[in-house]
Amino acid sequence: MTTSNTPVAAAPAVESRSVGGLRVHAITAGLQRLDGGAMFGVVPKPLWERRIAPDARNRIPLAMRCLLVEHASGLVLIDTGAGSKENEKFHDIYGVENRGAEPGDTWLEDGLRSIGVSPRDISLVLNTHLHFDHAGGNTRFDASGQARASFPQARYVVQAGEYHYATHTNERTAASYFPHNFVPLHETGQLELVQGEVEIARGIRLIPAPGHTPHHQGVLIEDGGEAAFYPADLVPTAAHLPLPWIMGYDVEPLVTLETKRTLLARAVADDWLFVFEHDPTTPWGRVGKDGKGYGLR
């Protein structure tokens, strides 16, 4: 199994490759550090710390890796990182490191700039779900302190059930959902709500992947007989490929288990490239059976 003990490179960190005739770019939008026990749930620390070593506060380094797809219909961005709207207390608690070169920018904007892309060039933003580390970069504060679309020409897409879940929180879920990341987009009509599996653009398909949240989704990219899958928090790092290695953050862990069972079997059968959103060192890799379980091959 792949280990991840080395911090991800400083911004801008962009790795690019082709999926069929499509060019895709893995852009590190920042780093965060979360409690290792929470990230691995019931897996004992002596096991998970071999894969990703914790710091003195028991936190492990995690990337916030977005994916940019050069598509015939326009540039498609999958997830947006933590954004730039939160205060220093937030940055300390979650170990967020993402300040960009320009005021209000993050590593995401720096990474886009490094490949000649501006926020106004993005035509479609896909949110796997609306947690702050996946949707925080959806919006940014303008001069008056109002949250506005970070990608003003883009259509944003998320599952309708996820938007309802994010706007009807409880004591356990409220800490993950910040309304200024998504409510302003809904109010201006830029946020499109979909239901279930949808081909949102030719060869780009939204795949329901519940468990982390009830309406969490992955993104499948197919072209020229090749495929890449962005599982987001279903399999946040390569260390989470074994079926029972499930985050304590998941609200429906047994649903996660069955979702992983189904989608990892598809990944092996169809030779999908897996894109790991949170792995600090491994942006992508192909999945194989590892004895009775799964791992990188």
Side-chain angles (χ1 to χ4, degrees):
M1 183 178 293
T2 297
T3 61
S4 299
N5 292 324
T6 304
V8 73
V14 180
E15 298 192 48
S16 305
R17 64 180 299 156
S18 295
V19 176
L22 300 176
R23 192 67 173 163
V24 299
H25 308 274
I27 303 174
T28 301
L31 301 177
Q32 62 180 329
R33 287 183 174 271
L34 298 179
D35 184 83
M39 281 300 297
F40 288 102
V42 299
V43 178
K45 183 176 180 179
L47 297 181
W48 63 253
E49 69 179 350
R50 299 175 190 169
R51 277 69 174 181
I52 306 180
D55 65 13
R57 294 166 67 177
N58 205 47
R59 302 179 307 177
I60 61 172
L62 299 165
M64 292 180 282
R65 185 175 290 111
C66 308
L67 197 68
L68 181 73
V69 183
E70 297 183 28
H71 192 270
S73 65
L75 295 175
V76 180
L77 180 64
I78 305 173
D79 279 353
T80 63
S84 60
K85 300 185 299 297
E86 309 312 325
N87 59 28
E88 290 304 321
K89 180 179 179 181
F90 166 89
H91 279 247
D92 178 64
I93 291 172
Y94 296 105
V96 172
E97 181 182 345
N98 72 342
R99 302 294 189 195
E102 300 293 332
D105 282 357
T106 69
W107 292 12
L108 175 57
E109 287 80 10
D110 289 354
L112 291 171
R113 191 178 300 113
S114 76
I115 55 174
V117 173
S118 82
R120 298 189 69 85
D121 296 331
I122 306 298
S123 63
L124 182 62
V125 175
L126 307 177
N127 284 137
T128 59
H129 59 303
L130 295 173
H131 283 173
F132 64 74
D133 55 330
H134 296 257
N138 283 358
T139 62
R140 59 191 296 163
F141 287 142
D142 64 16
S144 68
Q146 295 296 309
R148 307 288 186 191
S150 299
F151 308 96
Q153 305 301 318
R155 174 171 56 118
Y156 292 70
V157 179
V158 74
Q159 290 286 327
E162 174 67 10
Y163 185 79
H164 183 269
Y165 192 74
T167 52
H168 295 77
T169 57
N170 58 37
E171 291 82 356
R172 187 178 190 274
T173 62
S176 298
Y177 290 113
F178 300 170
H180 59 205
N181 291 335
F182 42 84
V183 171
L185 301 171
H186 189 260
E187 291 174 343
T188 61
Q190 280 183 266
L191 184 62
E192 178 181 343
L193 305 180
V194 298
Q195 295 188 16
E197 185 169 327
V198 177
E199 186 174 43
I200 202 70
R202 182 184 56 81
I204 300 181
R205 185 171 296 276
L206 306 178
I207 306 290
H212 181 61
T213 72
H215 303 280
H216 179 277
Q217 64 183 355
V219 182
L220 181 63
I221 302 160
E222 297 177 291
D223 190 74
E226 297 183 355
F229 185 59
Y230 188 90
D233 277 347
L234 176 69
V235 185
T237 76
H240 288 84
L241 282 168
L243 290 176
W245 288 49
I246 293 168
M247 291 190 289
Y249 295 114
D250 287 18
V251 296
E252 298 175 326
L254 295 182
V255 174
T256 299
L257 177 65
E258 296 310 316
T259 303
K260 287 178 70 174
R261 192 189 311 278
T262 297
L263 290 177
L264 286 170
R266 286 182 64 183
V268 172
D270 296 338
D271 197 31
W272 290 352
L273 178 74
F274 250 54
V275 183
F276 300 106
E277 186 161 10
H278 288 309
D279 197 295
T281 59
T282 304
W284 36 42
R286 297 193 185 276
V287 178
K289 285 300 273 302
D290 181 10
K292 296 182 179 179
Y294 294 93
L296 289 182
R297 65 171 202 260

